[in-house]
Amino acid sequence: GDEEQGQLGETRVTVAGVCSDMCRAGDHRDVHRVGRRQRQKCVRDRNGAIIKTIGDAVMAAFLEPADAVRAALDMQEEIDDFNRGQPNKELVLKIGIHKGAAIAVTLNDRLDYFGQTVNIAARVQGLADADEIFLSEDVFSGPDVASVLSGSKVDPQVVSLK
């Protein structure tokens, strides 16, 4: 039979929620493919793993907050480079990053994360406008994050999540 094999555990991860607003691209499949490929490469290059894709949104996990922030900055740079060669600004990223404990589930050889950390990362991402990266305070105060952000404009805000 087709029995599902699974394992359950808890681990501390940094979760990055990345939403691509591709509405300007319409149904242009090449643009969607480029956006997806660029995000995957940036996540892999910074020691992360994509754990969920829902429509144009991607969720990735990293062990270190600084790696998640580096990947987010890399994604923005890659998409900016892509957009420079387009007649319209085809792809826009909205990124949110949070860290904490998450429930790691392996089901049918596929790893996924669940729990409050994942939900908060999605809400933090929801705060971002086009071409913005929002970090929770837990990520912002993480080791090496300040040095990663040293060349970036940082606008600290206190907001409440719904």
Side-chain angles (χ1 to χ4, degrees):
D2 287 334
E3 289 185 23
E4 292 182 344
Q5 297 295 317
Q7 291 182 307
L8 181 67
E10 186 171 290
T11 188
R12 295 202 66 77
V13 293
T14 301
V15 178
V18 182
C19 180
S20 297
D21 181 357
M22 298 195 205
C23 59
R24 292 186 190 102
D27 289 330
H28 201 277
R29 288 194 181 114
D30 290 340
V31 173
H32 290 266
R33 203 173 6 264
V34 167
R36 204 170 20 259
R37 199 169 38 244
Q38 296 295 6
R39 290 180 301 186
Q40 290 169 345
K41 178 187 180 311
C42 292
V43 167
R44 269 194 320 270
D45 288 353
R46 297 300 185 173
N47 307 309
I50 291 182
I51 53 173
K52 291 181 196 266
T53 57
I54 303 164
D56 290 335
V58 167
M59 193 155 285
F62 299 83
L63 293 177
E64 298 299 329
D67 285 338
V69 174
R70 283 184 191 100
L73 292 169
D74 291 350
M75 284 180 218
Q76 278 193 328
E77 190 175 315
E78 292 282 341
I79 296 305
D80 286 348
D81 288 349
F82 172 78
N83 282 334
R84 272 193 279 281
Q86 303 301 311
N88 301 312
K89 192 170 183 180
E90 298 283 355
L91 296 176
V92 177
L93 295 182
K94 301 174 182 182
I95 302 172
I97 306 174
H98 179 63
K99 86 170 201 182
I103 299 166
V105 177
T106 303
L107 186 59
N108 293 330
D109 297 324
R110 204 181 146 115
L111 182 64
D112 202 349
Y113 291 92
F114 297 91
Q116 188 171 2
T117 296
V118 173
N119 294 334
I120 291 172
R123 289 186 186 117
V124 170
Q125 182 270 317
L127 296 171
D129 283 328
D131 299 322
E132 287 185 336
I133 301 171
F134 263 66
L135 310 177
S136 68
E137 188 173 350
D138 290 339
V139 172
F140 186 72
S141 61
D144 300 323
V145 171
S147 64
V148 171
L149 292 172
S150 64
S152 302
K153 178 183 173 243
V154 176
D155 179 18
Q157 298 178 24
V158 177
V159 296
S160 58
L161 298 174
K162 295 176 179 151

